[in-house]
């Protein structure tokens, strides 16, 4: 609630609309939050496509078809934009609103049209209703309004009044109706505490400029920009075709304002999706880059026509410059998109945890993790999308709290398991006390990321059991399956009670077939079955042919042996063995015996 207090209204309304639409057409009796997220992301992707088309239009307005194609393709193909332009967050809609505002402002400038200008203002207001810091979206319609008022004051006066009414009403609603000044979250607090300092911080501003240009590449952008300026100056002196610098300067001013206002609440880095905050500036950057390349092409064409009449084919310069740009940009972007697709085809660590725990882990206690961990909340259905059959409860505590406790104390509190990933180990668990705590745990399973996994949020992950099995064992059946321990509800029971047994296995190699397990209750001195169980060694979803990880601890399901009420008191045996259910052949231990024996007493 604190994080969302005073959140801009348009994305809230957008979410409400998506939610109500999904619920109207939904056929299942239940909906997970991840179901809504799916459609939000689908709509974000559609907005990304529309933004690419608008980028093409902006580039075309600046410098013709070449600039349009370059700007549109760069937005459509840049891998980092493809990835961040489909998130279920306000930003994809913000990029679209900014692109609409710029497109309409340039069209209003060209046609001297108040209608286009009012449309640009409405799009800018939509951007602010999505993200308060996007007040920079008002710059294109604001500057064009001043220009048109200077040119035609009487004609533009009614439109000025209309824009003031629309803008004033939108602002009044935000402040007095919606209560936006009550916003209390980390970004808002940063703005309140350090607005001027961050606004004018050169390090933050240059850093954020770098990441706004990052989707194109700083080197290519710098070369194109310097080359474009030189070509512009040369063509202007020669009275050749030149880019209209008015719209170029407008976009440059928009970009400077966008970067400075973004710097008031964040310093961008590649992790955690932070680059999304500067992509509204990238809308202008890509159009400026396309215009610079177009100016270089125009100048090269004019130079060929002027000094090399025999090489005056206009396609020669265009083809040469575009080929050069293509070699350095578009193939690399397409290749990067291929890497992105491959990355998303990998099963994430979180998905591995979902599927594995849903099958293998009994719901006999909570799962402990660190509050800052990526994997600690993997079983939170609304947050992570976990949709398993089992419901797991989880608990998070800071590293200091964990270090001050013990595995036994956690078990007494109902916390049976512990999960962490390699980054958590590096960030939280370096201290000797924490290393000692983890050394006491029993590693159940390690999840390794793929060798070609490039997602910076994916790390090898470790799932532990707080305590080892109650009783250690070392019974290697057939050289294939090792009974490493077991839990036993009691070693002394009464006739008529139920004895509960749980085995723990490891497999040094993949077993030869799917084996079954028998658990029998015998008198101490004879093989007469008094109670028995036959079934899978763990759970039926994990037949032994799937035991292909020698480091995994395979946790058996609880076996309940009902002791007959007329059983005489005395010494008895619980025996465990493994057999091939297709022919009944039992696996033997190294000493040739085909079962492992546990002595018990019946009172």
């Amino acid at each position: 609630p604190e994080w969302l207090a005073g959140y801009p209204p348009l994305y809230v309304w957008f979410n409400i609309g998506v939610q109500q639409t999904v619920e109207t057409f939904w056929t299942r009796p239940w909906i997970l939050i991840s179901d809504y997220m799916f459609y939000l992301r689908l709509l974000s992707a559609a907005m990304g496509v529309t933004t690419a088309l608008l980028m093409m239009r902006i580039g075309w307005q600046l410098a013709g078809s070449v600039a349009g194609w370059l700007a549109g393709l760069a937005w459509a193909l840049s891998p980092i934009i493809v990835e961040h332009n489909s998130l279920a967050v306000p930003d994809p809609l913000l990029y679209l609103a900014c692109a609409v505002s710029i497109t309409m402002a340039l069209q209003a400038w060209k046609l001297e049209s108040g209608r286009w200008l009012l449309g640009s203002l409405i799009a800018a207001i939509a951007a602010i209703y999505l993200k308060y810091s996007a007040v920079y979206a008002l710059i294109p319609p604001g500057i064009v309004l001043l220009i048109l008022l200077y040119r035609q004051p009487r004609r533009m006066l009614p439109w000025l009044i209309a824009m003031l009414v629309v803008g004033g009403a939108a602002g009044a609603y935000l402040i007095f109706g919606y209560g936006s000044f009550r916003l209390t979250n980390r970004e808002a607090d940063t703005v309140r505490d350090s607005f001027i300092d961050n606004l004018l911080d050169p390090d933050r501003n240059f850093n954020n400029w770098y990441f706004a240009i990052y989707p194109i590449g700083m080197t290519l952008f710098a070369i194109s920009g310097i080359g474009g300026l030189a070509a512009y100056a040369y063509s202007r002196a020669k009275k050749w075709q030149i880019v209209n610098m008015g719209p170029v300067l407008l976009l440059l001013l928009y970009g400077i304002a966008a970067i400075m206002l973004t710097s008031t609440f964040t310093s961008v880095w590649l992790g955690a999706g932070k680059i999304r905050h500067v992509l509204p500036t990238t809308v202008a950057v890509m159009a400026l880059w396309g215009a610079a390349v177009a100016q270089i092409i125009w100048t090269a064409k004019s130079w060929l026509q002027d000094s090399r009449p025999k090489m005056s084919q206009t396609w020669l310069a265009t083809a040469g410059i575009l080929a050069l740009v293509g070699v350095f940009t578009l193939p690399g972007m397409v290749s990067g998109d291929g890497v992105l697709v491959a990355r998303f085809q990998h099963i994430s660590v979180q998905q591995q945890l979902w599927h594995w725990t849903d099958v293998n882990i009994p719901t006999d206690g909570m799962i402990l993790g660190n509050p800052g961990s990526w994997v600690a909340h993997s079983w939170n259905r609304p947050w992570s999308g976990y949709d398993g059959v089992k419901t797991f409860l989880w608990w998070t505590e800071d590293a200091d709290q964990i270090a001050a406790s013990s595995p036994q104390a956690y078990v007494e509190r109902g916390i049976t398991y512990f999960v962490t990933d390699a980054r958590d180990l590096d960030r939280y668990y370096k201290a000797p006390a924490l290393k000692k705590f983890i050394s006491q745990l029993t590693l159940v399973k390690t999840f390794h990321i793929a060798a070609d996994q490039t997602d910076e949020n994916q790390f090898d992950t470790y799932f532990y059991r707080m305590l080892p099995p109650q009783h250690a064992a070392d019974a290697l059946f057939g050289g294939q399956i090792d009974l490493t321990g077991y839990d036993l509800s009691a070693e002394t029971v009464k006739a008529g009670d139920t004895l509960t047994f749980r085995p723990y296995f490891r497999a040094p190699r993949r077993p030869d077939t799917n084996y079954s397990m028998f658990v029998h209750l015998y008198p101490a001195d004879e093989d007469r079955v008094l109670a028995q169980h036959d079934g899978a060694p763990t759970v039926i979803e994990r037949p032994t042919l799937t035991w292909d990880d020698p480091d995994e601890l395979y946790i058996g399901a609880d076996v309940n042996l009902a002791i007959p009420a007329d059983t005489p008191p005395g010494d008895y045996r619980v025996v465990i063995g493994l057999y091939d259910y297709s022919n009944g052949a039992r696996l033997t231990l190294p000493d040739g015996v085909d079962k492992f024996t546990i002595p018990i007493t019946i009172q």
Side-chain angles (χ1 to χ4, degrees), residues 13-14 22 28-29 69 73 91 94 128 155-156 217 269 287 309 315 328 379 410 427 455 486 507 559 589:
W13 298 337
F14 182 72
V22 169
R28 295 202 304 265
W69 280 106
L73 287 174
D91 300 83
L94 173 64
I128 298 168
R155 182 184 167 199
M156 291 304 300
W269 51 291
W315 58 265
F328 284 101
W379 300 273
Y410 276 116
R427 290 190 300 180
D455 188 342
Y486 61 91
V559 173
L589 299 173

Side-chain angles (χ1 to χ4, degrees), residues 299-322:
T299 302
K301 285 166 56 178
S302 299
W303 181 81
L304 284 171
Q305 291 172 341
D306 189 54
S307 59
R308 300 289 189 273
K310 293 182 179 181
M311 298 176 62
S312 62
Q313 297 93 334
T314 56
W315 58 265
L316 186 61
T318 303
I321 301 297
L322 287 181

Side-chain angles (χ1 to χ4, degrees), residues 26 36 47 62 110-111 114 123 128-129 177 188 225 258 338 346 354 423 489 496 532 563 572 596:
W26 203 251
Y36 299 116
M47 293 171 197
L62 289 183
K110 178 182 178 181
L111 301 178
I128 298 168
Y129 269 50
H346 288 301
W354 297 347
R423 179 171 59 176
S489 58
Q532 73 178 61
I563 300 174
Y572 290 83
F596 177 80

